[in-house]
Amino acid sequence: MKEKVNAIIELLKQRYSDAPCALHYKADYELMIAVRLSAQCTDARVNLVTPGLFAAYPTLEAMANADISDVENHVHSCGFYKHKARDIVLACQMLLSDFGGKVPGTMEELLRLPGVGRKTANLLLGDLYGVPGSIVCDTHCMRICERLGLSKGRDPEKVERQLRAILPPEESSDFCHRIVLYGREICTARNPKCDQCELAPFCTEINKSQGSSD
Ligand code: SF4
C-alpha cells in the first residue's frame, strides 16, 4: 500500500506541480468564509460571489457587524444562503470575541466556529497553518480514493481516518487539493476519462464507472 500511495502522489505531482486551493482569498477569515460558501456549491461560483462580498465588507470587523439580510443577498446564488449568511457573520463575531481576530489553529477551536465542520477545519489547518495530516475529505476525494482502493465508503469522517493512516502527513493537504483538480479534469463522477488516466494501473474500477452517478 505504501508504494502504491507514493506512486499515486508522484503521478499527481507530475500533472499538477502546484497544489493551490481553488478558492480565492487574501485574509485568513476570507478563506473561512469562502469554504463555508462552498458547501453544496462549486468553487467557481464561490469565486464569483466573494469579490463583491469582500468589497462590501472589507475587514473582519465590518463582516462581523454586517446586516445578515444584506449578506444573504450577496451569497444568495451559493445556495443555503440563509444558513451561510448567518454562520459567516456569527463566525466572524466569534473570531473577534474569542480568538483575537485570527482564525484559530487547532481542530478543537475551529469546530467551535458556527458552520465549521471537520472538512472546513482540515482545509483551514492545512492551508493557513500547514498542519501535517490535514485531510480535506470532499466528494472528489472520497470518490477517487475509493476507485483507487485507498479508502472505502462515503462517510467523510471514516474516509478521513482511513486516509490519515496511509498518506504521509506532510503530503496530505496537497494530495487533497490535487485530487480535487483530478476529479474535475479526469476522474469525474460521471464518465471518467479512464483512457487519459495515469492512475489507471492502480484503479479498481477502471471502465466500471462509466455513467455512474455521485
Ligand atoms: S481509471 Fe478511470 S475511474 Fe479509475 S481513477 Fe482513472 S479516471 Fe478514475
Side-chain angles (χ1 to χ4, degrees):
M1 178 61 96
K2 195 175 170 191
E3 279 176 19
K4 173 175 170 173
V5 168
N6 286 338
I8 290 170
I9 288 171
E10 284 312 311
L11 287 166
L12 287 170
K13 281 183 179 176
Q14 283 170 24
R15 179 176 278 267
Y16 308 111
S17 52
D18 292 328
C21 177
L23 297 164
H24 299 164
Y25 68 99
K26 292 198 181 91
D28 59 353
Y29 73 91
E30 290 183 350
L31 180 59
M32 177 192 74
I33 291 169
V35 182
R36 179 66 189 96
L37 291 174
S38 71
Q40 310 291 320
C41 180
T42 64
D43 292 343
R45 164 59 51 191
V46 173
N47 288 335
L48 285 174
V49 163
T50 47
L53 178 66
F54 297 156
Y57 301 102
T59 64
L60 174 61
E61 288 76 10
M63 195 67 81
N65 289 312
D67 181 71
I68 291 179
S69 63
D70 187 56
V71 176
E72 287 177 3
N73 290 334
H74 279 281
V75 306
H76 191 278
S77 65
C78 294
F80 301 99
Y81 64 98
K82 283 188 178 291
H83 289 295
K84 290 180 179 179
R86 185 201 60 201
D87 286 343
I88 287 168
V89 172
L90 293 181
C92 287
Q93 289 174 0
M94 188 182 275
L95 290 186
L96 289 169
S97 62
D98 291 23
F99 298 114
K102 290 289 295 173
V103 173
T106 68
M107 176 66 76
E108 190 183 11
E109 291 171 311
L110 286 165
L111 291 177
R112 287 179 51 203
L113 292 164
V116 173
R118 289 193 67 84
K119 185 182 114 181
T120 303
N122 270 304
L123 190 145
L124 294 170
L125 289 173
D127 281 22
L128 297 177
Y129 291 100
V131 173
S134 303
I135 311 257
V136 181
C137 230
D138 77 343
T139 182
H140 295 292
C141 179
M142 289 189 284
R143 179 183 70 251
I144 299 171
C145 288
E146 188 165 46
R147 287 174 176 173
L148 293 173
L150 301 179
S151 61
K152 258 191 174 173
R154 300 293 171 100
D155 178 324
E157 283 200 33
K158 284 185 186 159
V159 175
E160 183 190 325
R161 278 200 296 276
Q162 291 165 11
L163 293 179
R164 184 163 290 118
I166 57 172
L167 288 173
E170 67 282 5
E171 298 282 0
S172 60
S173 178
D174 285 350
F175 171 85
C176 293
H177 283 318
R178 290 187 175 104
I179 269 294
V180 170
L181 296 173
Y182 204 69
R184 292 205 184 110
E185 189 183 352
I186 302 292
C187 191
T188 48
R190 289 172 184 272
N191 299 318
K193 302 180 181 75
C194 300
D195 56 340
Q196 299 173 35
C197 178
E198 54 266 49
L199 305 182
F202 306 103
C203 183
T204 60
E205 289 191 36
I206 184 165
N207 296 329
K208 284 193 221 161
S209 306
Q210 304 288 327
S212 70
S213 61
D214 196 33

